[in-house]
Amino acid sequence: MASLKSVKGTYDLLPKEKATHRHVYETSRDVCERFGFNEVTTPIFEFSEVFSRTLGETSDVVTKEMFSMETKGGDKITLRPEGTAGVCRAFISNGLQQETPVKHFYYGPMFRYERPQKGRQRQFHQVGVELIGVETPQADIEVIAAGYQFLKELGFADDVCLELNSLGDSESRAAYRDKLVAYFSQFEDKLSEDSKNRLQTNPLRILDSKDEGDKELVKDAPVLTDCLNEASLTFYTEVKKGLDLLGVPYVENPRLVRGLDYYCHTAFEFTTTTLGAQGTVLAGGRYDNLIKMMGGPQVPGVGWASGVERLALMSAEDKAELPRPICIIPVSAAQQEEALKVAHQLRVNGFVVDQGYSGNMKKRLNRANKANALAAILLGEDELARGAVTVRDLESGEQSEVALDGLVDHLAKFKA
Ligand code: ATP
Ligand code: MG
């Protein structure tokens, strides 16, 4: 039955994979909190306009990738393809302009109708930060440093490369747009269909094309850096100076543009060669006009988002272990009730406890080993009569008889 499969591009996170996934999330939250970002959660769906009006009418995300639907009440809604638009909507809805600078961290599922591949799903997860209300390069530096520190604490400092560019202010981009149109117009018949359209609507987007033919042409295209006006150049220089100061390594990539339209000035991506085609693991930039564009006040922002699945793919599996239990094993059915009580008492006292539900002692010991248990507590008739149990340390094999009323203290070394 087709309906018993998960829908194309979605998948289940079973406990082991979930532990790796959670390790990525918890590392990001821990690092971001140290940088002053606190977690917020916004809804998984928003009015479609929140995305369609902000991400760019011609962006891939809006033209091809949105999961949109109409509610029974006739509202047009979209499952969020990214986090920034929702966080900015929340900034406006909650009147947070009184509280700037606002520093938000988020984690959650995102949805894009894309062709599923390794590291590319239709439901995936992002962690991200948004620093709203600071117009100086200090904010860009701090945001990028947080992203770098996050990847570093995951152990990826040597596996990733920070690519940096400046998209300049709108004056600089307008000048660049003219140059780009002039350049690509010479090769119009060689461009992919998508890029032919982009030439009219949004030529910058061609630089981000994944079409091999387009990529060839992009190699010799003029670069934005040559079109930056003085203010934009100064801003960019300050960002680079700050990164140098903090020892955050980067390479400049003058052809880096981002897939969404709301960016200006700083644009950056952390990429890796270890994941094949899906090489971008963390990306972001500055969005000074996004909140205004959404109908809010003129408040600048800068942030990034990172794909949790891609980072989980890069992580060694043994990085994140499942909790290791203590297993309670009644020697025969007569001790089952006592086993239930002991298990409960230990759980109430903060221990991770598993109990086999059936089977003889040998079977239950095997299961304990399979669960990577730290210890087994054997409940035999004779010991119980003395008010005691047998504790077997499954690492060392050592075994001793322990009085039930001293059990919690005796097991302290097995506490997580
Ligand atoms: P790509 O160029 O790989 O499509 P993107 O530019 O569309 O990425 P962003 O919108 O910048 O991606 O999202 C930030 C991060 O989220 C990406 O760098 C990536 O790690 C992750 N990501 C984006 N789309 C997907 C997806 N469909 N499946 C898994 N992770 C994704
Ligand atoms: Mg994409």
Side-chain angles (χ1 to χ4, degrees):
M1 195 162 92
S3 59
L4 285 183
K5 287 190 196 152
S6 72
V7 175
K8 185 171 175 180
T10 70
Y11 65 98
D12 304 304
L13 274 174
L14 298 180
K16 260 213 140 113
E17 297 157 290
K18 178 69 191 185
T20 309
H21 194 106
R22 202 164 56 192
H23 172 66
V24 172
Y25 157 62
E26 278 167 1
T27 305
S28 69
R29 200 189 61 197
D30 181 60
V31 171
C32 293
E33 281 177 354
R34 270 182 271 144
F35 279 76
F37 295 90
N38 289 308
E39 184 164 7
V40 294
T41 299
T42 62
I44 283 171
F45 49 84
E46 298 271 356
F47 289 116
S48 298
E49 276 200 328
V50 168
F51 306 111
S52 60
R53 281 186 38 204
T54 56
L55 308 189
E57 301 282 351
T58 58
S59 65
D60 280 356
V61 172
V62 171
T63 54
K64 302 177 198 160
E65 298 174 2
M66 298 220 298
F67 277 95
S68 298
M69 67 204 86
E70 203 173 299
T71 66
K72 286 178 191 158
D75 289 326
K76 292 191 168 59
I77 61 167
T78 296
L79 299 182
R80 63 181 182 196
E82 56 101 60
T84 306
V87 168
C88 288
R89 196 273 309 141
F91 175 87
I92 302 169
S93 317
N94 293 284
L96 299 185
Q97 57 264 40
Q98 311 304 332
E99 295 171 27
T100 54
V102 160
K103 298 173 75 173
H104 286 333
F105 165 82
Y106 63 84
Y107 159 72
M110 306 291 162
F111 305 85
R112 297 186 192 180
Y113 194 80
E114 303 198 68
R115 190 167 69 79
Q117 299 163 60
K118 182 182 167 203
R120 190 179 295 286
Q121 296 85 18
R122 290 184 174 176
Q123 175 175 346
F124 61 101
H125 296 76
Q126 285 183 340
V127 292
V129 298
E130 312 295 351
L131 201 176
I132 300 175
V134 180
E135 60 188 7
T136 60
Q138 259 177 301
D140 309 56
I141 297 161
E142 186 176 77
V143 158
I144 296 175
Y148 178 66
Q149 190 60 25
F150 160 46
L151 297 173
K152 192 171 176 179
E153 293 191 19
L154 282 178
F156 302 149
D158 296 333
D159 302 315
V160 296
C161 170
L162 167 58
E163 297 181 32
L164 186 66
N165 193 19
S166 169
L167 304 176
D169 56 13
S170 37
E171 183 185 81
S172 308
R173 275 197 309 286
Y176 182 52
R177 188 192 155 106
D178 292 344
K179 273 198 176 180
L180 267 190
V181 172
Y183 170 80
F184 283 119
S185 297
Q186 310 169 69
F187 309 106
E188 195 169 347
D189 43 335
K190 286 195 192 157
L191 286 171
S192 69
E193 277 310 308
D194 275 350
S195 287
K196 271 184 200 144
N197 292 330
R198 291 172 179 137
L199 191 54
Q200 310 306 326
T201 54
N202 191 349
L204 254 81
R205 184 92 313 123
I206 301 176
L207 301 182
D208 201 30
S209 172
K210 291 182 172 91
D211 178 87
E212 288 305 321
D214 289 349
K215 280 188 186 168
E216 273 307 305
L217 295 174
V218 165
K219 279 186 187 154
D220 293 318
V223 294
L224 224 161
T225 328
D226 296 337
C227 299
L228 293 182
N229 59 19
E230 209 181 314
S232 301
L233 264 180
T234 307
F235 194 99
Y236 189 31
T237 307
E238 288 296 313
V239 172
K240 290 187 281 185
K241 254 182 25 203
L243 295 177
D244 291 338
L245 196 71
L246 300 182
V248 176
Y250 57 86
V251 295
E252 291 182 69
N253 175 356
R255 291 199 174 76
L256 175 74
V257 294
R258 306 275 308 111
L260 309 172
D261 274 0
Y262 50 60
Y263 290 111
C264 63
H265 291 292
T266 315
F268 61 93
E269 291 192 348
F270 285 87
T271 55
T272 176
T273 52
T274 62
L275 288 177
Q278 272 56 253
T280 306
V281 290
L282 187 153
R286 176 167 275 277
Y287 48 87
D288 287 350
N289 296 314
L290 174 59
I291 291 174
K292 180 87 188 284
M293 206 157 75
M294 295 177 87
Q298 173 65 52
V299 180
V302 52
W304 51 253
S306 177
V308 176
E309 279 76 6
R310 292 189 192 174
L311 294 172
L313 275 174
M314 285 174 77
S315 299
E317 263 184 29
D318 56 4
K319 275 268 171 67
E321 265 188 7
L322 295 178
R324 297 184 64 183
I326 294 170
C327 286
I328 311 291
I329 301 180
V331 170
S332 75
Q335 292 84 41
Q336 188 62 59
E337 215 165 75
E338 192 61 30
L340 193 64
K341 269 168 62 187
V342 172
H344 189 71
Q345 188 208 5
L346 292 179
R347 285 167 173 161
V348 167
N349 279 283
F351 294 92
V352 179
V353 179
D354 219 358
Q355 56 162 337
Y357 299 95
S358 62
N360 61 24
M361 196 170 102
K362 188 166 167 242
K363 227 175 170 173
R364 293 192 196 213
L365 266 173
N366 279 341
R367 260 202 313 260
N369 281 319
K370 230 174 130 187
N372 201 17
L374 291 163
I377 297 181
L378 307 171
L379 278 68
E381 192 180 351
D382 295 347
E383 297 107 292
L384 276 181
R386 292 193 290 274
V389 294
T390 300
V391 175
R392 185 185 294 180
D393 183 327
L394 292 176
E395 297 257 281
S396 65
E398 266 171 49
Q399 189 163 300
S400 53
E401 191 172 309
V402 179
L404 269 172
D405 56 14
L407 189 59
V408 166
D409 290 339
H410 178 88
L411 293 175
K413 65 171 172 172
F414 296 120
K415 216 167 213 168

